[in-house]
Amino acid sequence: MTNSLLPPAGPQRVLAVAQLSNSVGDGAFYVTSALYFTHIVGLAPARVGLGLTIAWAVGSLAGVPLGRFADRRGPRGTAVLLALATGLAVASFLVVRGFVPFVLAACGYAAAQSGLAAARQALLAALVSREERTGLLAHLQSTLNAGLAVGAGLGGLALHMGTREAYLGVFALDAVSFLLCAGVLLRLPVMKSLHARVGADQGRGGGGKGDALGVLRDRPYALLTLLNTVLLLRMPLLSLGIPLWIAERTDAPAWLVSALFVLNTGAVMLFQVRMARGVSGIVSATRAVRRSGLVMLASCAVFALSAGVSAWVAVGLLVAGAVLQVVAEMQQSAGSWQLSFDLAPADRVGEYQGFFGTGVTVARTAGPLVLTALLVGWGPPGWLVLGGLMLVASYGMGPTARWAAGRRVTAPDVSQPVPVN
C-alpha cells in the first residue's frame, strides 16, 4: 500500500476523484451554510438547528432503504442518481426563503447524502476485494480531507466578502461539485447488483431476506453499530466541543480553534493511509479499535488539564490533546471500516452500510447535546466521563464482532467487478 493521496490507477482512483470532486464543494458549504441561513435568509439559529435535526433524522431513516436499493438495482447507477439528487437539493437552497422550505430542502439533502454514502460503500465492495477495502477507504478519507480543506478556504473567502452573492456562489459550487461527482462515477463499469450476483452464485435468486426489518434482525451488527456511534461522538468535538471548551473553560486564544482544525485535517490527509496499514481482518480491526479507545481516554485527560492554567500552557496541552485525538480517530476509522464490511452479508453491503452509517447521523444530532452537557456543564470531569464511555465502547467492539462473526453465514466473495455487457 502506498501512502500517496490518490490510490492506484483504475476504479479505485476513479472513486477517489469522485470523492475529491464533491468534497471541495462540501468544505465550502460546511463553513458558510449556518451563517447563510441565519444572516442572509433570516432564520433564527434555533430554527436552523431544529430544521437540521429533523433533516438528519430523516436522512438516518433513508440510508437503509436506499442502500438496499443499491444492492438490488446496482450500486453505480444508484450512486449516480443520488449524487444528482444531492446536487439538486443543494441548488434548492438557493431559492429557500422560509422555515418550511428550508426543512424540506434540508430533508432532501440529508436523505440523498445518506443514500449516496451507502451506495458508494456498496460500489466500493463491488469493485475491490475484501483485502483492499480498508486501504482504499483510508485513501478516500485522505482525499476527503484534502478536498474539505480546499473548500473551507474557498468558503472563508465568501465569509470575508459577506455578500449574498458570495454565499450563493458557494452553494452553486457545491451543487456543481455533485454533478461533477456523478459524471466521474459514470466512468466506472456498470455492475450487476450484489444481490443478483450472490443469488446467481448460490443458484437461489438472491441472498438477503428483504423483509421490512432487514438489518435490524441482525442483533450483533446492530450492537456493533451502537458501539461505533458512541465512538463517533468524537466527530462534533472539533466543530463544537473543543471550540466551546476553549472559549468557556480555558485562557487559550480563539485562533487556536482554527489551528486545531488544520492540524486534524492535515494529519488525516497525510497519515490515514499509513495508520490503516495492517488492518486486514476482524482480529486486527478490533485491536485497532481497542487502541483507539485507550488513546482517546488519554486525549480527554490531557484536554481536561487545560482548564485553570496559563494561556500558553493551555495551548500546549490543547495541541497535545488534539494530536492524541486525531491518532485515536484514524485508528478507530480503520478498524470500524474493516468490521462494517467484514460482518455484512456479501449481497447486502449497501443495506448494512446504510445502517452502519446512521451512527454518523446520530453522533452529529445527539453529539452537540452530549458534549455541551459534559464539557461545558461538568468541566474537567466531563472529559473523563467522555473518555471512559469511549474506552468501554472500544473494548465492547471485540466481543460483539466475534458474536457477529459466529452468526455470519459464509457467502461467496463477490467483490470483483462483473461488468454488464
Side-chain angles (χ1 to χ4, degrees):
M1 183 190 302
T2 65
N3 196 41
S4 60
L5 183 61
L6 291 175
Q12 296 189 36
R13 182 165 295 181
V14 174
L15 284 172
V17 172
Q19 178 87 294
L20 180 64
S21 64
N22 74 260
S23 64
V24 172
D26 274 347
F29 176 81
Y30 291 155
V31 300
T32 58
S33 56
L35 290 179
Y36 171 76
F37 291 123
T38 54
H39 292 180
I40 304 299
V41 177
L43 298 176
R47 303 200 91 186
V48 172
L50 174 62
L52 292 177
T53 298
I54 294 171
W56 286 113
V58 170
S60 67
L61 295 175
V64 172
L66 288 173
R68 184 181 296 164
F69 184 84
D71 290 334
R72 295 180 176 274
R73 300 298 181 184
R76 192 199 75 153
T78 304
V80 170
L81 287 175
L82 288 171
L84 293 173
T86 307
L88 180 62
V90 173
S92 70
F93 286 131
L94 295 170
V95 296
V96 163
R97 296 293 183 270
F99 178 68
V100 173
F102 164 69
V103 172
L104 294 175
C107 286
Y109 173 77
Q113 278 274 48
S114 297
L116 178 59
R120 274 176 157 166
Q121 299 293 67
L123 186 58
L124 181 149
L127 288 167
V128 301
S129 66
R130 282 185 187 275
E131 294 74 18
E132 296 177 295
R133 288 173 190 168
T134 295
L136 176 55
L137 281 165
H139 276 295
L140 294 179
Q141 189 73 3
S142 297
T143 304
L144 171 67
N145 276 264
L148 290 176
V150 173
L154 295 175
L157 292 177
L159 291 174
H160 178 71
M161 296 173 65
T163 64
R164 174 185 289 272
E165 291 73 21
Y167 284 106
L168 294 182
V170 166
F171 281 68
L173 170 66
D174 197 25
V176 170
S177 76
F178 279 99
L179 299 182
L180 180 59
C181 172
V184 173
L185 290 173
L186 283 172
R187 295 175 55 195
L188 294 169
V190 178
M191 309 296 298
K192 290 181 180 179
S193 70
L194 291 176
H195 182 83
R197 286 163 60 190
V198 170
D201 288 339
Q202 294 178 341
R204 55 183 175 83
K209 292 182 179 180
D211 55 87
L213 292 177
V215 64
L216 293 176
R217 293 188 182 277
D218 191 336
R219 288 177 294 174
Y221 198 90
L223 178 57
L224 192 81
T225 300
L226 176 61
L227 294 172
N228 190 64
T229 301
V230 175
L231 297 176
L232 288 174
L233 288 174
R234 60 167 174 76
M235 294 183 66
L237 267 181
L238 202 62
S239 61
L240 180 71
I242 292 174
L244 288 177
W245 175 259
I246 290 174
E248 300 292 331
R249 292 281 186 164
T250 79
D251 293 324
W255 56 259
L256 189 62
V257 172
S258 177
L260 296 182
F261 181 85
V262 173
L263 169 66
N264 182 277
T265 56
V268 172
M269 183 176 67
L270 294 174
F271 299 113
Q272 180 67 80
V273 174
R274 184 176 302 166
M275 195 68 70
R277 189 177 295 147
V279 178
S280 57
I282 293 175
V283 174
S284 56
T286 54
R287 187 184 305 123
V289 174
R290 282 198 304 270
R291 284 199 301 264
S292 79
L294 289 168
V295 176
M296 194 66 203
L297 177 61
S299 170
C300 289
V302 172
F303 279 130
L305 293 174
S306 63
V309 297
S310 67
W312 291 108
V313 172
V315 168
L317 289 169
L318 289 165
V319 170
V323 169
L324 291 171
Q325 187 266 326
V326 73
V327 170
E329 173 185 337
M330 290 186 287
Q331 291 175 328
Q332 185 264 328
S333 294
S336 64
W337 292 333
Q338 187 76 35
L339 293 174
S340 70
F341 277 108
D342 280 4
L343 298 173
D347 62 330
R348 300 170 69 189
V349 173
E351 177 186 352
Y352 271 60
Q353 287 296 315
F355 181 70
F356 198 77
T358 60
V360 175
T361 305
V362 173
R364 285 175 172 169
T365 303
L369 298 175
V370 174
L371 295 180
T372 301
L374 287 178
L375 307 185
V376 179
W378 291 14
W383 278 110
L384 300 181
V385 171
L386 179 64
L389 285 173
M390 293 190 173
L391 181 66
V392 170
S394 70
Y395 270 75
M397 292 282 271
T400 304
R402 289 191 291 273
W403 179 26
R407 287 168 55 95
R408 180 163 55 91
V409 177
T410 303
D413 186 358
V414 292
S415 58
Q416 297 303 322
V418 181
V420 174
N421 296 323

